[in-house]
Amino acid sequence: MSHRQLFCPPDESEDIKQILAHIEEQCEYQCIRVEEYQYLLKDMKKELEKVSEQKKKIMKDLMKLELDMHNLLQETATQTEWKDGEAKDLKRHIRNLEGQLKECQSLCLENEKVIQKKDEALSKLIRK
């Protein structure tokens, strides 16, 4: 006997068929769930790629903004330095002008005194 046939009573055979049918149902259900998960995974990978691209773009924009900010800071520092130098020059010029004004006021005062003396001398001469 090369083939042995297992003999199962008819009621056990039906139970086995029901169990096999149930297992096949479960297998089909699990296969469907696996397919759903595969689609979900595929969608998540696409979404991850989109997010990665957005991140790259944001990082590129951020680097550009940082470079712009650095350039603006340098420009501001240069302008501030130039304005400070200009303010020092103007202060020095104001001091020179104040000195000249004092000198002019002094000369005017001296001239007034001289004119006053000459005026007094002239008045004396006219009265005589």
Side-chain angles (χ1 to χ4, degrees):
M1 260 174 75
S2 63
H3 291 282
R4 267 206 263 177
Q5 192 172 17
L6 293 175
F7 175 75
C8 291
D11 56 335
E12 282 184 23
S13 177
E14 277 304 310
D15 287 345
I16 291 174
K17 285 180 185 177
Q18 284 179 352
I19 291 172
L20 283 173
H22 180 70
I23 289 174
E24 281 181 26
E25 256 181 55
Q26 286 296 314
C27 187
E28 286 175 20
Y29 174 75
Q30 294 300 328
C31 285
I32 290 170
R33 289 193 68 195
V34 166
E35 273 185 43
E36 289 173 353
Y37 285 128
Q38 285 174 338
Y39 286 128
L40 184 61
L41 182 61
K42 190 175 179 181
D43 289 345
M44 290 177 130
K45 283 181 180 179
K46 285 180 185 177
E47 190 64 28
L48 180 61
E49 285 176 16
K50 285 181 190 177
V51 170
S52 293
E53 285 301 313
Q54 288 175 342
K55 181 183 174 187
K56 284 179 189 176
K57 185 181 180 299
I58 289 169
M59 293 303 287
K60 183 179 174 184
D61 290 345
L62 182 62
M63 287 174 61
K64 185 183 179 300
L65 287 172
E66 285 176 346
L67 182 63
D68 289 348
M69 184 183 71
H70 178 73
N71 289 339
L72 286 171
L73 286 172
Q74 276 187 320
E75 186 179 324
T76 302
T78 301
Q79 286 181 359
T80 301
E81 189 177 313
W82 181 77
K83 291 287 183 185
D84 287 348
E86 196 174 76
K88 285 179 186 176
D89 290 345
L90 288 172
K91 284 179 183 178
R92 188 173 28 254
H93 187 62
I94 287 171
R95 283 194 301 272
N96 286 340
L97 289 174
E98 285 173 339
Q100 289 176 8
L101 177 64
K102 284 182 184 179
E103 198 176 305
C104 285
Q105 286 173 335
S106 241
L107 288 173
C108 284
L109 191 59
E110 285 178 24
N111 284 342
E112 273 187 43
K113 286 180 184 177
V114 169
I115 290 172
Q116 192 176 9
K117 283 183 184 178
K118 285 184 179 180
D119 222 14
E120 286 173 6
L122 186 61
S123 286
K124 283 183 186 178
L125 282 176
I126 292 176
R127 277 191 251 153
K128 283 187 185 181

